Amino acid sequence: MSPIKIGLLGLGTVGGGTATVLKRNADEITRRAGRGIIVDYAATLEPERASELGMSDLRVTADAFDVVNDPDISIVVELIGGYSLAKELVLQAIENGKHVVTANKALIALHGNEIFAKAQEGGVIVAFEAAVAGGIPIIKALREGLAANNIEWLAGIINGTGNFILTEMRDKGRAFDEVLAEAQALGYAEADPTFDVEGIDAAHKLSILSSIAFGIPLQFEKTYTEGISKISRDDVIYASELGYHIKHLGIARRTKAGIEQRVHPTMIPKKRLIANVNGVMNAVLVNGDAVGHTLYYGAGAGDEPTASAVVADIIDVVRVLTTDPENRVPHLAFQADLLADIPILPIEAIESAYYLRMCAENHAGVLAEVTRILGESNISIEAFIQKEPENNHAEQVDIILLTHKVNEGDMNIAIQQIEALDVICGEVMRIRVESLD
Ligand code: HSE
C-alpha cells in the first residue's frame, strides 16, 4: 500500500519532535500502521527548520492554508497552538475531508464541541491525545482502557511547568520567578506563562478529561481555576511539617449534586504516589468503580514526549482510515447523542478539608478567637501549629490550622470573619487538602 502523506502545521518544539520521531522510527511505525507515513508538507515561518531537522527535501510554506488545502495531504497535524487561526485551519481541514491530529488543548477545551460535531458530519477523525499530559496516553486510557467503568473521580498533575516550579521551590528553596524563567528556557511553559501559573492550561486539560470521564460536553468556562502564584516557601515548609506536599491539581469528581471540576493548589499526603511526582512530570490518578485506582505517570511536556502522543494518534488514524465513521471510538468517549446534561458545581458547593495560614498578633487569647469562629461554623480542627517567633519579642506569629472536611461556602464565611478580627494581620491563606484515598 502506498505511504500516507501528512502535513505538519508548525515545526516548533512539538512539530520538530514529531518530524524527528516519525523519521527515526519509520520502520517500526510502518509495521504498526500497516503502511508508511511521510511528512510531505509543513507550514512554518522559519523555513530553515526543515534542513535543521535533516529534511531538506520537505516542501515548506509560510501559509498554513496551503497545507490544509493540498489534495495530496490526508492527515493535517495542527501544532501551532492558540485559538483562532488554529480553529480556522482545523475546520477547513475537516471541510476538505482530511483527518486532524492536534496537541492544542486550548482549542479542544474551548471549541471541541463544535469541532467534533463538524468532524462527525464530515466522517473524519480529530485526535488529541497530546493535548493532555504530554506523552501519557491518558485520553486512550480513559476512552478505551477504562470503558467498562463508572469513573468516580480523577485527579491530575497536568501542568509540567507548575509542577517544576513547586518542586524546585520545595527541594532547592529557589524563588518562584527564577524557576519560571528556567521552565520557559527549557520550552515547558506556554507562550504566555500565566496560563501555566494561573492554572488556565491545567483547566483546559481538566475540562477535556472531565468530559471524557463522565460523558458530558466540554465546559471549560465552568472550571474553577486558581493558580500557584500565592504559594509561599513558608506554605511549602509548613505543609511538609504536617505530612503533605503541595501540588497544583486538576480534580474532576462526580457527586450526587453534579460534577466538581476544579484546578487549584492542593495538599496531598506525602505517602500517596502522586504526591511524589516531581519536576516536569505529570500524573493522573483515576478512580473507576470496577478497577479502583489506576495511576498514569510520565513526561507532561517537551518535544519528543509530546511527539510520542502525536505520532500515536497519527498511527491510530492511519489504522482506521478505511473503517466506517460510525464504528470508530467516539471523540468524547461516549456516543455524541448520548452525552449527559449533568451540572458542573460552583466551587462554593464542594466539600474539602483546608489548610489555613494566618498572621496573628503575638498575645494571649488570639487563638481562642479564631477557634471560636471555626467552632461556631461547625468547622473542626485536625492539626495546629503555632510558629515560635525568631525573636521572643516579635509582635506577630504565624498560626497554621488544618481542618476536617467542610463545605467551601461555610469556610468562606469563617475566613471573612477571621480576617475581620483586629488581631489578625492581612489575608488568611487557604489551601484545599485532599486525601485521594
Ligand atoms: N505548558 C504546558 C505544561 C505544556 O507545562 O504542562 C504541555 O502541555
Side-chain angles (χ1 to χ4, degrees), residues 168-216:
E168 292 287 304
M169 279 172 70
R170 184 193 70 207
D171 293 352
K172 301 184 187 155
R174 295 177 67 193
F176 188 100
D177 291 341
E178 177 197 316
V179 189
L180 173 59
E182 190 182 341
Q184 288 178 282
L186 289 167
Y188 302 154
E190 296 300 296
D192 175 355
T194 57
F195 275 45
D196 296 292
V197 296
E198 295 307 337
I200 301 160
D201 177 73
H204 287 147
K205 295 165 178 166
L206 182 70
S207 59
I208 298 172
L209 292 179
S210 178
S211 173
I212 291 174
F214 305 125
I216 55 172

mmCIF file of all heavy atoms in Angstrom, residues 168-216:
data_model
loop_
_atom_site.group_PDB
_atom_site.id
_atom_site.type_symbol
_atom_site.label_atom_id
_atom_site.label_comp_id
_atom_site.label_asym_id
_atom_site.label_seq_id
_atom_site.Cartn_x
_atom_site.Cartn_y
_atom_site.Cartn_z
ATOM 1 N N GLU A 168 10.964 22.699 42.608
ATOM 2 C CA GLU A 168 12.228 23.417 42.818
ATOM 3 C C GLU A 168 12.147 24.315 44.049
ATOM 4 O O GLU A 168 13.108 24.464 44.788
ATOM 5 C CB GLU A 168 12.574 24.248 41.572
ATOM 6 C CG GLU A 168 12.921 23.421 40.350
ATOM 7 C CD GLU A 168 14.296 22.756 40.435
ATOM 8 O OE1 GLU A 168 15.292 23.459 40.626
ATOM 9 O OE2 GLU A 168 14.349 21.518 40.293
ATOM 10 N N MET A 169 10.971 24.922 44.274
ATOM 11 C CA MET A 169 10.794 25.758 45.480
ATOM 12 C C MET A 169 10.955 24.911 46.743
ATOM 13 O O MET A 169 11.595 25.299 47.702
ATOM 14 C CB MET A 169 9.389 26.396 45.489
ATOM 15 C CG MET A 169 9.260 27.638 44.639
ATOM 16 S SD MET A 169 7.534 28.184 44.513
ATOM 17 C CE MET A 169 7.189 28.771 46.149
ATOM 18 N N ARG A 170 10.354 23.722 46.711
ATOM 19 C CA ARG A 170 10.378 22.860 47.904
ATOM 20 C C ARG A 170 11.759 22.248 48.128
ATOM 21 O O ARG A 170 12.306 22.305 49.235
ATOM 22 C CB ARG A 170 9.343 21.727 47.732
ATOM 23 C CG ARG A 170 9.205 20.833 48.948
ATOM 24 C CD ARG A 170 8.428 19.573 48.628
ATOM 25 N NE ARG A 170 9.207 18.689 47.770
ATOM 26 C CZ ARG A 170 8.692 17.809 46.917
ATOM 27 N NH1 ARG A 170 7.394 17.711 46.784
ATOM 28 N NH2 ARG A 170 9.471 17.035 46.189
ATOM 29 N N ASP A 171 12.356 21.684 47.061
ATOM 30 C CA ASP A 171 13.590 20.912 47.241
ATOM 31 C C ASP A 171 14.841 21.768 47.292
ATOM 32 O O ASP A 171 15.828 21.402 47.916
ATOM 33 C CB ASP A 171 13.746 19.877 46.115
ATOM 34 C CG ASP A 171 12.693 18.794 46.194
ATOM 35 O OD1 ASP A 171 11.952 18.781 47.207
ATOM 36 O OD2 ASP A 171 12.600 17.978 45.261
ATOM 37 N N LYS A 172 14.804 22.904 46.577
ATOM 38 C CA LYS A 172 16.046 23.692 46.497
ATOM 39 C C LYS A 172 15.871 25.085 47.044
ATOM 40 O O LYS A 172 16.803 25.889 46.977
ATOM 41 C CB LYS A 172 16.524 23.752 45.044
ATOM 42 C CG LYS A 172 16.793 22.367 44.474
ATOM 43 C CD LYS A 172 17.356 22.413 43.065
ATOM 44 C CE LYS A 172 17.434 21.009 42.488
ATOM 45 N NZ LYS A 172 17.400 21.005 41.033
ATOM 46 N N GLY A 173 14.691 25.403 47.535
ATOM 47 C CA GLY A 173 14.470 26.733 48.122
ATOM 48 C C GLY A 173 14.573 27.846 47.091
ATOM 49 O O GLY A 173 14.821 28.994 47.437
ATOM 50 N N ARG A 174 14.360 27.506 45.811
ATOM 51 C CA ARG A 174 14.534 28.529 44.775
ATOM 52 C C ARG A 174 13.315 29.448 44.698
ATOM 53 O O ARG A 174 12.207 29.062 45.069
ATOM 54 C CB ARG A 174 14.760 27.866 43.411
ATOM 55 C CG ARG A 174 16.052 27.090 43.348
ATOM 56 C CD ARG A 174 16.193 26.386 42.018
ATOM 57 N NE ARG A 174 16.352 27.325 40.910
ATOM 58 C CZ ARG A 174 16.249 26.973 39.632
ATOM 59 N NH1 ARG A 174 15.982 25.716 39.311
ATOM 60 N NH2 ARG A 174 16.414 27.859 38.682
ATOM 61 N N ALA A 175 13.544 30.659 44.187
ATOM 62 C CA ALA A 175 12.458 31.641 44.093
ATOM 63 C C ALA A 175 11.580 31.328 42.884
ATOM 64 O O ALA A 175 12.052 30.834 41.845
ATOM 65 C CB ALA A 175 13.044 33.037 43.958
ATOM 66 N N PHE A 176 10.305 31.641 43.021
ATOM 67 C CA PHE A 176 9.280 31.364 42.007
ATOM 68 C C PHE A 176 9.696 31.880 40.621
ATOM 69 O O PHE A 176 9.717 31.137 39.633
ATOM 70 C CB PHE A 176 7.979 32.035 42.473
ATOM 71 C CG PHE A 176 6.771 31.697 41.662
ATOM 72 C CD1 PHE A 176 5.870 30.742 42.109
ATOM 73 C CD2 PHE A 176 6.525 32.338 40.460
ATOM 74 C CE1 PHE A 176 4.748 30.429 41.357
ATOM 75 C CE2 PHE A 176 5.410 32.030 39.709
ATOM 76 C CZ PHE A 176 4.518 31.074 40.155
ATOM 77 N N ASP A 177 10.042 33.180 40.561
ATOM 78 C CA ASP A 177 10.308 33.805 39.251
ATOM 79 C C ASP A 177 11.510 33.182 38.543
ATOM 80 O O ASP A 177 11.528 33.022 37.326
ATOM 81 C CB ASP A 177 10.541 35.318 39.414
ATOM 82 C CG ASP A 177 9.251 36.012 39.807
ATOM 83 O OD1 ASP A 177 8.178 35.404 39.601
ATOM 84 O OD2 ASP A 177 9.324 37.132 40.339
ATOM 85 N N GLU A 178 12.512 32.833 39.352
ATOM 86 C CA GLU A 178 13.729 32.244 38.774
ATOM 87 C C GLU A 178 13.412 30.873 38.148
ATOM 88 O O GLU A 178 13.854 30.566 37.037
ATOM 89 C CB GLU A 178 14.744 32.093 39.918
ATOM 90 C CG GLU A 178 16.042 31.430 39.542
ATOM 91 C CD GLU A 178 16.788 30.958 40.787
ATOM 92 O OE1 GLU A 178 16.867 31.706 41.777
ATOM 93 O OE2 GLU A 178 17.274 29.811 40.747
ATOM 94 N N VAL A 179 12.601 30.078 38.835
ATOM 95 C CA VAL A 179 12.289 28.739 38.303
ATOM 96 C C VAL A 179 11.396 28.857 37.069
ATOM 97 O O VAL A 179 11.564 28.120 36.090
ATOM 98 C CB VAL A 179 11.603 27.847 39.371
ATOM 99 C CG1 VAL A 179 11.511 26.414 38.863
ATOM 100 C CG2 VAL A 179 12.355 27.881 40.682
ATOM 101 N N LEU A 180 10.476 29.813 37.105
ATOM 102 C CA LEU A 180 9.615 30.003 35.931
ATOM 103 C C LEU A 180 10.462 30.359 34.708
ATOM 104 O O LEU A 180 10.245 29.823 33.603
ATOM 105 C CB LEU A 180 8.575 31.106 36.208
ATOM 106 C CG LEU A 180 7.730 31.512 35.001
ATOM 107 C CD1 LEU A 180 6.949 30.332 34.439
ATOM 108 C CD2 LEU A 180 6.755 32.630 35.380
ATOM 109 N N ALA A 181 11.453 31.231 34.902
ATOM 110 C CA ALA A 181 12.323 31.616 33.768
ATOM 111 C C ALA A 181 13.035 30.381 33.216
ATOM 112 O O ALA A 181 13.185 30.222 31.998
ATOM 113 C CB ALA A 181 13.324 32.677 34.220
ATOM 114 N N GLU A 182 13.454 29.477 34.110
ATOM 115 C CA GLU A 182 14.125 28.265 33.626
ATOM 116 C C GLU A 182 13.142 27.370 32.847
ATOM 117 O O GLU A 182 13.498 26.807 31.802
ATOM 118 C CB GLU A 182 14.726 27.487 34.804
ATOM 119 C CG GLU A 182 15.624 26.361 34.305
ATOM 120 C CD GLU A 182 16.220 25.517 35.421
ATOM 121 O OE1 GLU A 182 16.252 25.963 36.585
ATOM 122 O OE2 GLU A 182 16.633 24.381 35.100
ATOM 123 N N ALA A 183 11.904 27.273 33.352
ATOM 124 C CA ALA A 183 10.895 26.451 32.649
ATOM 125 C C ALA A 183 10.647 27.018 31.251
ATOM 126 O O ALA A 183 10.460 26.263 30.288
ATOM 127 C CB ALA A 183 9.605 26.410 33.446
ATOM 128 N N GLN A 184 10.670 28.340 31.137
ATOM 129 C CA GLN A 184 10.480 28.957 29.809
ATOM 130 C C GLN A 184 11.654 28.609 28.902
ATOM 131 O O GLN A 184 11.461 28.235 27.744
ATOM 132 C CB GLN A 184 10.342 30.472 29.951
ATOM 133 C CG GLN A 184 9.014 30.893 30.564
ATOM 134 C CD GLN A 184 8.930 32.401 30.737
ATOM 135 O OE1 GLN A 184 9.502 32.963 31.664
ATOM 136 N NE2 GLN A 184 8.215 33.050 29.839
ATOM 137 N N ALA A 185 12.877 28.712 29.455
ATOM 138 C CA ALA A 185 14.069 28.428 28.646
ATOM 139 C C ALA A 185 14.085 26.968 28.190
ATOM 140 O O ALA A 185 14.579 26.651 27.106
ATOM 141 C CB ALA A 185 15.328 28.747 29.453
ATOM 142 N N LEU A 186 13.517 26.071 29.009
ATOM 143 C CA LEU A 186 13.515 24.637 28.662
ATOM 144 C C LEU A 186 12.380 24.271 27.701
ATOM 145 O O LEU A 186 12.248 23.113 27.302
ATOM 146 C CB LEU A 186 13.397 23.794 29.942
ATOM 147 C CG LEU A 186 14.645 23.792 30.839
ATOM 148 C CD1 LEU A 186 14.322 23.208 32.220
ATOM 149 C CD2 LEU A 186 15.778 23.017 30.189
ATOM 150 N N GLY A 187 11.542 25.260 27.360
ATOM 151 C CA GLY A 187 10.456 25.006 26.393
ATOM 152 C C GLY A 187 9.240 24.340 27.016
ATOM 153 O O GLY A 187 8.382 23.820 26.306
ATOM 154 N N TYR A 188 9.129 24.337 28.352
ATOM 155 C CA TYR A 188 7.973 23.709 29.005
ATOM 156 C C TYR A 188 6.770 24.654 29.034
ATOM 157 O O TYR A 188 5.628 24.221 28.956
ATOM 158 C CB TYR A 188 8.271 23.353 30.472
ATOM 159 C CG TYR A 188 9.426 22.425 30.732
ATOM 160 C CD1 TYR A 188 10.102 22.459 31.947
ATOM 161 C CD2 TYR A 188 9.815 21.486 29.780
ATOM 162 C CE1 TYR A 188 11.149 21.595 32.219
ATOM 163 C CE2 TYR A 188 10.869 20.627 30.040
ATOM 164 C CZ TYR A 188 11.535 20.684 31.262
ATOM 165 O OH TYR A 188 12.566 19.838 31.527
ATOM 166 N N ALA A 189 7.047 25.948 29.206
ATOM 167 C CA ALA A 189 5.960 26.892 29.507
ATOM 168 C C ALA A 189 5.184 27.264 28.247
ATOM 169 O O ALA A 189 5.669 27.126 27.122
ATOM 170 C CB ALA A 189 6.546 28.144 30.156
ATOM 171 N N GLU A 190 3.953 27.731 28.462
ATOM 172 C CA GLU A 190 3.147 28.236 27.362
ATOM 173 C C GLU A 190 3.730 29.557 26.859
ATOM 174 O O GLU A 190 4.497 30.215 27.572
ATOM 175 C CB GLU A 190 1.710 28.496 27.853
ATOM 176 C CG GLU A 190 0.989 27.249 28.299
ATOM 177 C CD GLU A 190 0.869 26.218 27.187
ATOM 178 O OE1 GLU A 190 0.205 26.488 26.191
ATOM 179 O OE2 GLU A 190 1.466 25.133 27.317
ATOM 180 N N ALA A 191 3.308 29.974 25.636
ATOM 181 C CA ALA A 191 3.772 31.252 25.090
ATOM 182 C C ALA A 191 3.482 32.362 26.107
ATOM 183 O O ALA A 191 4.299 33.256 26.325
ATOM 184 C CB ALA A 191 3.056 31.520 23.777
ATOM 185 N N ASP A 192 2.321 32.310 26.745
ATOM 186 C CA ASP A 192 2.003 33.222 27.838
ATOM 187 C C ASP A 192 2.057 32.392 29.124
ATOM 188 O O ASP A 192 1.131 31.622 29.416
ATOM 189 C CB ASP A 192 0.600 33.817 27.635
ATOM 190 C CG ASP A 192 0.165 34.677 28.805
ATOM 191 O OD1 ASP A 192 0.908 34.740 29.804
ATOM 192 O OD2 ASP A 192 -0.913 35.277 28.713
ATOM 193 N N PRO A 193 3.128 32.519 29.921
ATOM 194 C CA PRO A 193 3.295 31.602 31.058
ATOM 195 C C PRO A 193 2.277 31.795 32.177
ATOM 196 O O PRO A 193 2.187 30.961 33.077
ATOM 197 C CB PRO A 193 4.718 31.909 31.553
ATOM 198 C CG PRO A 193 5.034 33.260 31.045
ATOM 199 C CD PRO A 193 4.253 33.452 29.776
ATOM 200 N N THR A 194 1.471 32.879 32.103
ATOM 201 C CA THR A 194 0.404 32.978 33.118
ATOM 202 C C THR A 194 -0.601 31.828 32.930
ATOM 203 O O THR A 194 -1.277 31.445 33.877
ATOM 204 C CB THR A 194 -0.352 34.335 33.066
ATOM 205 O OG1 THR A 194 -0.888 34.515 31.760
ATOM 206 C CG2 THR A 194 0.528 35.496 33.416
ATOM 207 N N PHE A 195 -0.671 31.273 31.713
ATOM 208 C CA PHE A 195 -1.551 30.117 31.507
ATOM 209 C C PHE A 195 -1.101 28.950 32.387
ATOM 210 O O PHE A 195 -1.922 28.166 32.850
ATOM 211 C CB PHE A 195 -1.532 29.679 30.030
ATOM 212 C CG PHE A 195 -2.499 30.441 29.164
ATOM 213 C CD1 PHE A 195 -2.602 31.810 29.253
ATOM 214 C CD2 PHE A 195 -3.316 29.777 28.261
ATOM 215 C CE1 PHE A 195 -3.498 32.524 28.457
ATOM 216 C CE2 PHE A 195 -4.218 30.470 27.469
ATOM 217 C CZ PHE A 195 -4.306 31.846 27.562
ATOM 218 N N ASP A 196 0.222 28.829 32.580
ATOM 219 C CA ASP A 196 0.731 27.754 33.437
ATOM 220 C C ASP A 196 0.508 28.086 34.907
ATOM 221 O O ASP A 196 -0.092 27.303 35.631
ATOM 222 C CB ASP A 196 2.241 27.559 33.185
ATOM 223 C CG ASP A 196 2.542 27.099 31.771
ATOM 224 O OD1 ASP A 196 2.184 25.958 31.451
ATOM 225 O OD2 ASP A 196 3.128 27.877 30.991
ATOM 226 N N VAL A 197 0.978 29.266 35.334
ATOM 227 C CA VAL A 197 0.995 29.530 36.785
ATOM 228 C C VAL A 197 -0.385 29.883 37.327
ATOM 229 O O VAL A 197 -0.657 29.657 38.507
ATOM 230 C CB VAL A 197 2.031 30.615 37.181
ATOM 231 C CG1 VAL A 197 3.431 30.162 36.889
ATOM 232 C CG2 VAL A 197 1.756 31.940 36.549
ATOM 233 N N GLU A 198 -1.275 30.373 36.482
ATOM 234 C CA GLU A 198 -2.622 30.693 36.977
ATOM 235 C C GLU A 198 -3.616 29.552 36.733
ATOM 236 O O GLU A 198 -4.801 29.692 36.983
ATOM 237 C CB GLU A 198 -3.133 31.999 36.357
ATOM 238 C CG GLU A 198 -2.333 33.231 36.756
ATOM 239 C CD GLU A 198 -2.159 33.411 38.271
ATOM 240 O OE1 GLU A 198 -2.971 32.869 39.047
ATOM 241 O OE2 GLU A 198 -1.183 34.049 38.686
ATOM 242 N N GLY A 199 -3.134 28.428 36.211
ATOM 243 C CA GLY A 199 -3.977 27.232 36.130
ATOM 244 C C GLY A 199 -4.855 27.145 34.893
ATOM 245 O O GLY A 199 -5.652 26.205 34.765
ATOM 246 N N ILE A 200 -4.710 28.089 33.961
ATOM 247 C CA ILE A 200 -5.595 28.075 32.782
ATOM 248 C C ILE A 200 -5.281 26.859 31.900
ATOM 249 O O ILE A 200 -6.184 26.166 31.419
ATOM 250 C CB ILE A 200 -5.449 29.386 31.988
ATOM 251 C CG1 ILE A 200 -5.805 30.563 32.893
ATOM 252 C CG2 ILE A 200 -6.330 29.386 30.733
ATOM 253 C CD1 ILE A 200 -5.262 31.892 32.436
ATOM 254 N N ASP A 201 -3.984 26.602 31.720
ATOM 255 C CA ASP A 201 -3.583 25.446 30.920
ATOM 256 C C ASP A 201 -4.120 24.150 31.556
ATOM 257 O O ASP A 201 -4.678 23.294 30.861
ATOM 258 C CB ASP A 201 -2.049 25.407 30.821
ATOM 259 C CG ASP A 201 -1.549 24.197 30.075
ATOM 260 O OD1 ASP A 201 -1.702 24.154 28.843
ATOM 261 O OD2 ASP A 201 -0.997 23.281 30.722
ATOM 262 N N ALA A 202 -3.978 24.037 32.864
ATOM 263 C CA ALA A 202 -4.485 22.831 33.547
ATOM 264 C C ALA A 202 -6.009 22.758 33.435
ATOM 265 O O ALA A 202 -6.576 21.668 33.298
ATOM 266 C CB ALA A 202 -4.051 22.837 35.009
ATOM 267 N N ALA A 203 -6.678 23.913 33.472
ATOM 268 C CA ALA A 203 -8.144 23.919 33.360
ATOM 269 C C ALA A 203 -8.577 23.479 31.959
ATOM 270 O O ALA A 203 -9.579 22.773 31.807
ATOM 271 C CB ALA A 203 -8.696 25.302 33.684
ATOM 272 N N HIS A 204 -7.825 23.886 30.925
ATOM 273 C CA HIS A 204 -8.121 23.383 29.566
ATOM 274 C C HIS A 204 -8.083 21.858 29.588
ATOM 275 O O HIS A 204 -9.002 21.176 29.117
ATOM 276 C CB HIS A 204 -7.067 23.879 28.564
ATOM 277 C CG HIS A 204 -7.172 25.337 28.222
ATOM 278 N ND1 HIS A 204 -6.064 26.110 27.939
ATOM 279 C CD2 HIS A 204 -8.227 26.163 28.109
ATOM 280 C CE1 HIS A 204 -6.446 27.345 27.652
ATOM 281 N NE2 HIS A 204 -7.757 27.406 27.765
ATOM 282 N N LYS A 205 -6.986 21.328 30.150
ATOM 283 C CA LYS A 205 -6.790 19.875 30.121
ATOM 284 C C LYS A 205 -7.831 19.168 30.989
ATOM 285 O O LYS A 205 -8.357 18.120 30.615
ATOM 286 C CB LYS A 205 -5.377 19.543 30.597
ATOM 287 C CG LYS A 205 -4.287 20.075 29.660
ATOM 288 C CD LYS A 205 -2.920 20.056 30.306
ATOM 289 C CE LYS A 205 -1.822 20.523 29.380
ATOM 290 N NZ LYS A 205 -0.557 20.819 30.072
ATOM 291 N N LEU A 206 -8.128 19.747 32.159
ATOM 292 C CA LEU A 206 -9.096 19.100 33.052
ATOM 293 C C LEU A 206 -10.481 19.037 32.411
ATOM 294 O O LEU A 206 -11.193 18.037 32.556
ATOM 295 C CB LEU A 206 -9.175 19.843 34.391
ATOM 296 C CG LEU A 206 -10.125 19.182 35.393
ATOM 297 C CD1 LEU A 206 -9.543 17.861 35.898
ATOM 298 C CD2 LEU A 206 -10.446 20.094 36.567
ATOM 299 N N SER A 207 -10.868 20.101 31.708
ATOM 300 C CA SER A 207 -12.215 20.062 31.116
ATOM 301 C C SER A 207 -12.287 18.957 30.056
ATOM 302 O O SER A 207 -13.337 18.328 29.890
ATOM 303 C CB SER A 207 -12.624 21.429 30.561
ATOM 304 O OG SER A 207 -11.720 21.858 29.595
ATOM 305 N N ILE A 208 -11.173 18.683 29.386
ATOM 306 C CA ILE A 208 -11.151 17.580 28.408
ATOM 307 C C ILE A 208 -11.277 16.234 29.144
ATOM 308 O O ILE A 208 -12.089 15.375 28.780
ATOM 309 C CB ILE A 208 -9.853 17.635 27.561
ATOM 310 C CG1 ILE A 208 -9.796 18.943 26.756
ATOM 311 C CG2 ILE A 208 -9.755 16.421 26.646
ATOM 312 C CD1 ILE A 208 -8.470 19.194 26.038
ATOM 313 N N LEU A 209 -10.476 16.063 30.196
ATOM 314 C CA LEU A 209 -10.529 14.798 30.950
ATOM 315 C C LEU A 209 -11.916 14.561 31.544
ATOM 316 O O LEU A 209 -12.450 13.456 31.517
ATOM 317 C CB LEU A 209 -9.487 14.814 32.083
ATOM 318 C CG LEU A 209 -8.017 14.785 31.664
ATOM 319 C CD1 LEU A 209 -7.115 14.819 32.893
ATOM 320 C CD2 LEU A 209 -7.713 13.538 30.830
ATOM 321 N N SER A 210 -12.489 15.622 32.099
ATOM 322 C CA SER A 210 -13.792 15.503 32.758
ATOM 323 C C SER A 210 -14.859 15.089 31.744
ATOM 324 O O SER A 210 -15.705 14.225 32.014
ATOM 325 C CB SER A 210 -14.112 16.864 33.384
ATOM 326 O OG SER A 210 -15.342 16.856 33.998
ATOM 327 N N SER A 211 -14.803 15.684 30.569
ATOM 328 C CA SER A 211 -15.764 15.374 29.531
ATOM 329 C C SER A 211 -15.683 13.894 29.133
ATOM 330 O O SER A 211 -16.711 13.207 29.014
ATOM 331 C CB SER A 211 -15.474 16.285 28.335
ATOM 332 O OG SER A 211 -16.260 15.926 27.261
ATOM 333 N N ILE A 212 -14.453 13.418 28.976
ATOM 334 C CA ILE A 212 -14.270 12.028 28.549
ATOM 335 C C ILE A 212 -14.579 11.047 29.682
ATOM 336 O O ILE A 212 -15.064 9.945 29.456
ATOM 337 C CB ILE A 212 -12.824 11.841 28.058
ATOM 338 C CG1 ILE A 212 -12.652 12.609 26.758
ATOM 339 C CG2 ILE A 212 -12.491 10.386 27.836
ATOM 340 C CD1 ILE A 212 -11.255 12.606 26.257
ATOM 341 N N ALA A 213 -14.313 11.468 30.909
ATOM 342 C CA ALA A 213 -14.548 10.565 32.040
ATOM 343 C C ALA A 213 -16.037 10.397 32.323
ATOM 344 O O ALA A 213 -16.495 9.303 32.655
ATOM 345 C CB ALA A 213 -13.841 11.104 33.297
ATOM 346 N N PHE A 214 -16.789 11.501 32.203
ATOM 347 C CA PHE A 214 -18.199 11.453 32.635
ATOM 348 C C PHE A 214 -19.203 11.495 31.475
ATOM 349 O O PHE A 214 -20.420 11.457 31.712
ATOM 350 C CB PHE A 214 -18.486 12.611 33.602
ATOM 351 C CG PHE A 214 -17.538 12.640 34.786
ATOM 352 C CD1 PHE A 214 -16.805 13.770 35.089
ATOM 353 C CD2 PHE A 214 -17.381 11.517 35.586
ATOM 354 C CE1 PHE A 214 -15.933 13.788 36.172
ATOM 355 C CE2 PHE A 214 -16.511 11.520 36.671
ATOM 356 C CZ PHE A 214 -15.782 12.655 36.959
ATOM 357 N N GLY A 215 -18.698 11.655 30.251
ATOM 358 C CA GLY A 215 -19.618 11.684 29.112
ATOM 359 C C GLY A 215 -20.471 12.932 29.102
ATOM 360 O O GLY A 215 -21.686 12.878 28.964
ATOM 361 N N ILE A 216 -19.826 14.083 29.274
ATOM 362 C CA ILE A 216 -20.534 15.370 29.265
ATOM 363 C C ILE A 216 -19.863 16.270 28.212
ATOM 364 O O ILE A 216 -18.702 16.046 27.861
ATOM 365 C CB ILE A 216 -20.463 16.067 30.654
ATOM 366 C CG1 ILE A 216 -19.006 16.226 31.114
ATOM 367 C CG2 ILE A 216 -21.264 15.269 31.688
ATOM 368 C CD1 ILE A 216 -18.835 17.055 32.366
#
